[in-house]
Amino acid sequence: MGNVSFQSVNIEDGFWKEQQKVNRETTVWAIYDRFKESGRFDALRCGWQEGMPNKPHIFWDSDVAKWLEGASYLMQKQPDARMEAIADNIADTVEAHQREDGYFNSYFLTMSPDEIFTHRMDHELYCAGHFVEAAIAYYHATGKRKLLDCMERYIALIDRVFRIEHSAAFDTPGHEEIEMALAKLYEETKNENYLKLLRFFVDHRGRSKKDSSAPFSEYHTQSHLPAVEQHTAEGHAVRALYWCCGIQDLAALEDDADLKETCLAIFDDIVTKKMYITGGVGSTYAGEAFTFPYDLPDDRAYSETCAGIALAMFCRRLWSMYKDGKYADIAEQAIYNTVLSGISLSGDEFFYENPLAVDVRQRKFYEKRPSFEQLRWPIIRRVKLFECSCCPPNLMRLIGAIGDYAYSVEGDTIYTHLYMDNTADIPVAGKTFRITQKTKYPLAGHICLTVGTEGSCKLALRIPAWCQNPEVKVNGEKIHGEICNGYFMIEKMWAEGDCIELILPMIVRVVEAAPECRDYCGKIAVCRGPMVYCVESEDCDGQTVVRDVRIHTDAPFTVKEEMICGRELPVIYAEGEVRRGTGNLYQNVPFERMPVSVRMIPYFTWANRGEDDMYVWLLG
Amino acid sequence: MGNVSFQSVNIEDGFWKEQQKVNRETTVWAIYDRFKESGRFDALRCGWQEGMPNKPHIFWDSDVAKWLEGASYLMQKQPDARMEAIADNIADTVEAHQREDGYFNSYFLTMSPDEIFTHRMDHELYCAGHFVEAAIAYYHATGKRKLLDCMERYIALIDRVFRIEHSAAFDTPGHEEIEMALAKLYEETKNENYLKLLRFFVDHRGRSKKDSSAPFSEYHTQSHLPAVEQHTAEGHAVRALYWCCGIQDLAALEDDADLKETCLAIFDDIVTKKMYITGGVGSTYAGEAFTFPYDLPDDRAYSETCAGIALAMFCRRLWSMYKDGKYADIAEQAIYNTVLSGISLSGDEFFYENPLAVDVRQRKFYEKRPSFEQLRWPIIRRVKLFECSCCPPNLMRLIGAIGDYAYSVEGDTIYTHLYMDNTADIPVAGKTFRITQKTKYPLAGHICLTVGTEGSCKLALRIPAWCQNPEVKVNGEKIHGEICNGYFMIEKMWAEGDCIELILPMIVRVVEAAPECRDYCGKIAVCRGPMVYCVESEDCDGQTVVRDVRIHTDAPFTVKEEMICGRELPVIYAEGEVRRGTGNLYQNVPFERMPVSVRMIPYFTWANRGEDDMYVWLLG
């Protein structure tokens, strides 16, 4: 029951096939090389000494772990000897340097072994959590338990020190992650201690007298209140959403009504008040945080790639419990916009922040004036590595395991969530049901599902909220069914070869933001399917003042398949107008307006053709 | 020839009478009290020691000097025994503590006497310049030369150390001011050394090998290039404009064509690319600086009060050389908007920064989250004192000497610039010509000038660029004359009692910003006469989302005289619409629009009724 793992979902064509090809051929190695040359892998050997290059960093174990987790997802689908050798080496290294008592954190073992479990804000348990997830993935991919055994020993130590002896200097991690790792480890092992430790961490956050979030406020780590008293998304966005994943896992495992309430309230707060149209969250770089309702500045948007991934992870947990299409709607809003914006089409360059507006002159100006260092703006060109390089391996593991987002099962019903070209073997009602989807989704709205297994079961096909007038045909005949919470329900005794066609018309949509969003008053965004579009200056008819483009929202939009850096993607042509400057800064008579034709590209493909002005929100 | 001093201009009624009353009765004493209790006056005695309260600050001499200058302007118009006693005491104190060699800077004498003339960025010569200006004003007001003598001795030292011996650790001051003080001192004394020192400072800036602007870039202090190679406004806005005043003074005194070019080019750069509609300059708090063309964010606007004053001072210098109404247009744009925004209607509270948009929720949020300290926003409530409190006494001296902005003379022509109710005795063509203006300007556009002296002279009446269809009547009869560079020319043999009526229709204007101003695309500002209007939330029909108000620019505007905190001022009623929220953050169908009536108040009166959202630029 619940979500269907990507292990059962094979992607053989379509949009995600292309993404996964780049992931396997380029991304995994690009990240490996950058991590290798920056010393992240070597740091595991705990041999760094003053004077040597590549001083270890508190995040680095998590970078390696996420790379290993992502690589394991690739290996689960297709063995790779070089990848496996690297993975084995990681496992061997961890085992070799793990302390007698089970402790393993390469940073603390190297830099300050006397200070373990004393620095709440130094990502110790966050790294542990990522290593647990990596160990499980590596085990599933290779059957090798070594790293998982190491991690079980490490978690046993953490359990003793934190939950049983209370001998750590803090009670809950300053950066959540271990919570969902513990849920996963419990699912894997059924060892009740992991569940108890998860419960301990969840219950103590916001209640512990030992915990401090200094130099940040307690909001930063969601420690301002106990979980059950929280109803709004606060603080560091990735922390907040990893924490939501962890407490939703616990709520599901223990059927905890109060925690469920918290998760639902926070989700609601995010999607009705604190989320960019791209599914990005965290409006500000200051604390990488959620701010206040409707505060969604486009040019200073933080909208971290990892936060978008975390929102999708949270949605997946919610849809598995609550059969409501809105969770998949939000997941794909995040994935097809903010998340994929985080990686170049070439697969080897990354954004950490994903702003919705760029003024190149502004960035150039601030780059060349040292006195302007105080003003922080998102970068406008993807880079190969960040000092804090959490996003690249997070993208790698998300893309490798994207099949996770396709299906869930409840009773005798198979739910489809994110449509993607795939063949899946889904355990339902005591048998394994094969479904094949052929589709170009999200580039087009036509999905063909073929049943590969005879038998009775219900199908619940998600109808995205953006879609008007969906059509469902079974074996060529249009059927009328109930749409229940965003899912079109079909119950049938299926024969092998039965074909369900789902047609989700992808009309170009003109979207307005709530009046309270001060940054978007008077503006519109153009969307098609789950994808948000943007304008880059070079596609704007030679007009450089993209911000001044007013879209004629009542004129027809034209969609064409065109190449963007080697990918065939639907672009949108819109008609609009811009004003002609006169040399006056201010003028009592309106500036003359001229027609302009604008080419819009999917937001996630921005900044692939060099630095350029870019805007999602345009005058409408 | 040239500008007519406020000493010859008596303001007996109208807008400025009210401002000057508040200045004399409230502002001068409010600032005195704050400066007194914060130790600024006592610091002059150079007696501070570690452990005592009120540690001296490098700016403080300039604060005291500007207070003295402003108080002297008041005393010139109306003696005041208490004020004079304080002024005398300042002079006595400076004399008592001035070093044998002429040096006087209370900060360096107290804190680090061994380091004089070694810290370019520590405002030493800036303070000296302000004291020179104060000494001249005090001398004019009281006939007492003591302080002026002190300052002449000090300048003689500076001249020797900097110009003659080159023995200072730097060549030019890190904050300009002394340049215009030297020009004024030269005009007062005709001592050529002052002119030579001014020339030295002007020529060495941007050329000196000793000068550094660290930790800022060389742009910050206009030291990135020699003056004659500069054509754009760069760096710290107050520095830049004080410097422009100084080089324009030198250009005028020495008829220096290259420096004139520089001043004209910088003025042009400012007014066509870098000035807020309020006449504010300096877009960013980072370095309090000019940024790049068309970068004029409204909510983060720095737009320092002092920079607005400095722009007006620069304009006055320019109109005295170039008979063009655009300089007075810009001066009044700055004075009636940014500058007066810097002081509360009550006269005792001040803004340093003058943003054009405020979102109260944003400020409240950032106040309560320590991790957000990195994000700097302008304050939204005027305060009684700043740590760096340059603006309050600058306002005081500007308001006290506002008559400076009324007239200039060239040959046999009297130019009128800023209209204000006044009686002036103007030396022209060998005699003193009396002119009386009766007007409510800038609140209304009707100006009645009465000639009080028989004789022949030309009158050049400025027709503001915002004005369409001006009318001029002489003794009741409409006359048609030439408008030459923004001045309506009348030549006549005047009889005593001749009456010139100037009617400048104050139509409500809808102003657009250039397409390149990304922050104002799709927006309009509402202006009347020289005043820019704004909307505060409380005047917005109970609608809280002021940013979403769309003004119906083709519907009629209604102007009414209404009370704002005890001042009768013209307010504007506009019709518009706002959208009704639905609870959705994003929506594929337009939000419903509802009519709204909006009351707009002069921008300079904002934030006098408590903290509130405020916007100048609205959807149009």
Side-chain angles (χ1 to χ4, degrees), chain B residues 251 254-262:
Chain B
E254 301 198 335
D255 195 23
D256 183 322
D258 292 338
L259 289 180
K260 285 184 201 172
E261 273 305 305
T262 293

Side-chain angles (χ1 to χ4, degrees), chain A residues 276 282-285 296-304 353-357 378 520:
Chain A
Y276 285 96
S283 304
T284 177
Y285 83 91
L296 297 161
D298 56 356
D299 55 353
R300 286 174 291 115
Y302 200 74
S303 186
E304 184 184 337
E353 293 156 71
N354 299 282
L356 285 76
Y520 308 135

Side-chain angles (χ1 to χ4, degrees), chain A residues 275 359 512 515 518 545 586, chain B residues 275 359 515 518 545 579 586:
Chain A
M275 185 185 73
D359 180 334
E512 282 187 20
R518 65 180 139 63
V545 190
Y586 304 108
Chain B
M275 186 184 73
D359 180 332
R518 65 181 140 64
V545 190
R579 294 175 303 157
Y586 303 107

Side-chain angles (χ1 to χ4, degrees), chain B residues 332-343:
Chain B
E332 68 176 15
Q333 199 168 349
I335 289 171
Y336 291 120
N337 298 292
T338 280
V339 173
L340 288 183
S341 160
I343 184 167

